[in-house]
Amino acid sequence: MWKHIRIEHNDYIIKKISMDGHHKVLLSSFVNMWGEEITSASLYQRCKCFNPLVEGDEETVSQWTLSQIHDKTNAQISIKECENAQVMEINSKLAGVPFTVKFYLKVMTSQEIYDEITLPLLLMVQQLQAQKHLLFDLLKKKDIEITEYKLEGAQLSRRNIETLAFIESHFEKLCTTIKIPDEFPLQPTQLFTQEMQNLYDNVMEKYANCKKLKEAAEQHADAEDSETQSVINDSSPEKKQKKNPKVSINKYIYKKYILGVR
């Protein structure tokens, strides 16, 4: 999950991904994105290099180190820009002892930016549009329901809560009058509110599940194609000939032993 982080008067979003002893640290301003992939073994050795007195097993030390990325109360994070990377230094305390570690975040490729930023934002827009259409359908059904109540003689006790029937085109026209605030955030990450983060996580979970189902369906289809091809091959004339080979009989043997001709 992405988290807000403020480093030296600049706003970023940051997240860590861990799976089977492999870790990825990502940092983004929504304009650029940097990251580093590292194994638990390499991260442990790096921690030992910066902190020779650190004791503990490889996985425990690695996970604690990664947790400091989101620990705003205990950790201080700074960034130094180098030629091809952003060096992110974390200074914290482990059991009261000063602890330092550095991550070397390189500029991510356009494909990685698409996977982590562009694609999720497009999916979020698609989901919001789908939710809007669901809401429109619900409002139209409510209007039909209210009309039916009125035809049956029902009356509102308070006229001030009466509403006009929902007309989609009127609503769309009203939306065009909504202005972008003059105090538009200079840093895009300020728009990435908790509600937006929740939507991001939701759509990415749906996307991952959809991807798994698609891959499973493709594997099933490939297995069926392979089985069908195997049946076709077994039914070919060449296969049948091998299964039922023609017996070639010497003419002399045929005459002598079968026909009894000498």
Side-chain angles (χ1 to χ4, degrees), residues 127-144:
Q127 284 290 295
L128 289 172
Q129 287 179 326
Q131 291 174 15
K132 184 183 78 170
H133 291 307
L134 285 174
L135 183 59
F136 283 2
D137 290 341
L138 181 60
L139 287 172
K140 290 172 183 177
K141 289 178 181 178
K142 285 291 183 184
D143 282 341
I144 294 172

Side-chain angles (χ1 to χ4, degrees), residues 31-252:
V31 177
N32 295 305
M33 188 169 75
W34 307 268
E36 180 184 12
E37 293 187 37
I38 190 169
T39 63
S40 293
S42 297
L43 182 55
Y44 179 74
Q45 291 302 320
R46 186 180 296 179
C47 291
K48 292 289 287 183
C49 179
F50 283 105
N51 311 274
L53 299 179
V54 165
E55 297 292 340
D57 64 90
E58 182 180 290
E59 194 60 30
T60 301
V61 172
S62 297
Q63 288 298 335
W64 183 87
T65 302
L66 291 166
S67 72
Q68 297 307 290
I69 290 172
H70 294 154
D71 192 343
K72 296 179 180 179
T73 58
N74 189 44
Q76 292 184 342
I77 300 177
S78 61
I79 289 180
K80 183 179 180 181
E81 189 170 343
C82 295
E83 186 176 351
N84 296 318
Q86 298 268 25
V87 180
M88 184 174 73
E89 181 176 323
I90 300 177
N91 289 287
S92 184
K93 285 190 176 182
L94 177 58
V97 179
F99 178 93
T100 299
V101 70
K102 292 181 181 181
F103 289 93
Y104 302 92
L105 311 177
K106 294 184 177 181
V107 175
M108 306 300 280
T109 65
S110 57
Q111 181 62 47
E112 289 168 321
I113 294 173
Y114 173 79
D115 291 339
E116 292 291 342
I117 302 294
T118 308
L119 175 62
L121 291 178
L122 290 173
L123 290 172
M124 289 164 69
V125 171
Q126 184 272 333
Q127 284 290 295
L128 289 172
Q129 287 179 326
Q131 291 174 15
K132 184 183 78 170
H133 291 307
L134 285 174
L135 183 59
F136 283 2
D137 290 341
L138 181 60
L139 287 172
K140 290 172 183 177
K141 289 178 181 178
K142 285 291 183 184
D143 282 341
I144 294 172
E145 183 181 353
I146 291 170
T147 301
E148 189 170 334
Y149 287 148
K150 288 181 177 179
L151 290 174
E152 292 176 354
Q155 293 184 349
L156 281 173
S157 58
R158 291 180 295 167
R159 290 290 179 183
N160 62 317
I161 64 170
E162 187 174 11
T163 57
L164 297 174
F166 176 75
I167 301 174
E168 187 174 336
S169 59
H170 290 179
F171 177 80
E172 296 287 1
K173 187 176 181 180
L174 180 64
C175 288
T176 60
T177 64
I178 300 175
K179 296 181 179 180
I180 295 175
D182 294 332
E183 302 82 16
F184 192 81
L186 296 177
Q187 302 194 52
T189 54
Q190 294 177 8
L191 295 173
F192 199 58
T193 61
Q194 185 60 52
E195 187 177 4
M196 293 290 284
Q197 292 179 48
N198 294 340
L199 180 58
Y200 178 102
D201 294 335
N202 180 263
V203 298
M204 291 311 291
E205 183 179 352
K206 287 182 180 179
Y207 179 71
N209 292 336
C210 181
K211 202 172 179 180
K212 287 179 183 177
L213 290 173
K214 185 178 179 181
E215 289 173 353
E218 288 175 350
Q219 290 176 359
H220 180 68
D222 290 342
E224 285 190 337
D225 289 344
S226 178
E227 186 177 346
T228 302
Q229 188 62 43
S230 177
V231 171
I232 292 173
N233 291 339
D234 289 343
S235 303
S236 65
E238 292 81 0
K239 286 280 186 179
K240 288 182 177 180
Q241 188 173 2
K242 288 181 180 179
K243 289 182 179 179
N244 303 293
K246 293 181 179 179
V247 179
S248 178
I249 303 175
N250 184 282
K251 290 182 179 180
Y252 174 77

